[in-house]
Amino acid sequence: MNWTPTVLIFDSQGKERHRIEGYLPKDEFEAQLKMALARIAFKEKRWADAERLYSEVLQKYPNTSSAPEALYWKTVSRFQATHDHTLLGPPAKELQDKWPDNVWALKALPWLNE
């Protein structure tokens, strides 16, 4: 079911990469738009751009619902660029400390052993 407003974000090939349904406060909406740009960069394997955009979400919108997801994907972007598994542990710990019940903290649990 669609809801209004609905904002669709497409990549340069016309593929939908992000959808925002319903009203969001300004900071949440802006964070979602930045997450969409980061997702496009990630899907295009532009790891440095994706990492930078996810970092911007964390810096500009640290109290939004997008922050834990941004930290998760920022870490994945860095890993994809470097294949250095030792980078995974500290962000996983941060996710556990700041957002212990969030799904992104749960997804990062395996990283705690890195």
Side-chain angles (χ1 to χ4, degrees):
M1 177 172 144
N2 289 333
W3 198 248
T4 57
T6 297
V7 177
L8 304 176
I9 293 92
F10 297 89
D11 65 16
S12 61
Q13 304 302 311
K15 184 167 184 169
E16 181 182 329
R17 290 297 180 189
H18 197 73
R19 176 183 293 246
I20 305 166
E21 294 181 298
Y23 169 81
L24 288 173
K26 182 182 176 203
D27 282 353
E28 291 283 348
F29 184 72
E30 288 176 359
Q32 285 289 309
L33 289 176
K34 189 70 71 173
M35 290 292 289
L37 295 175
R39 187 69 179 156
I40 291 169
F42 184 88
K43 287 298 210 174
E44 293 176 352
K45 298 182 180 182
R46 293 183 289 118
W47 312 125
D49 290 339
E51 183 179 357
R52 178 184 52 77
L53 290 162
Y54 288 125
S55 291
E56 285 181 26
V57 172
L58 289 166
Q59 291 168 5
K60 293 180 181 178
Y61 311 102
N63 299 316
T64 65
S65 61
S66 296
E69 182 179 1
L71 178 55
Y72 180 91
W73 288 111
K74 173 187 172 190
T75 304
V76 174
S77 298
R78 170 65 64 90
F79 176 77
Q80 291 286 23
T82 66
H83 298 287
D84 181 357
H85 66 88
T86 64
L87 300 170
L88 300 173
K93 175 81 169 88
E94 184 177 351
L95 282 162
Q96 295 303 310
D97 291 345
K98 289 184 178 179
W99 304 284
D101 298 324
N102 190 280
V103 67
W104 298 102
L106 297 174
K107 289 181 179 198
L109 279 174
W111 301 350
L112 289 174
N113 298 325
E114 296 297 324

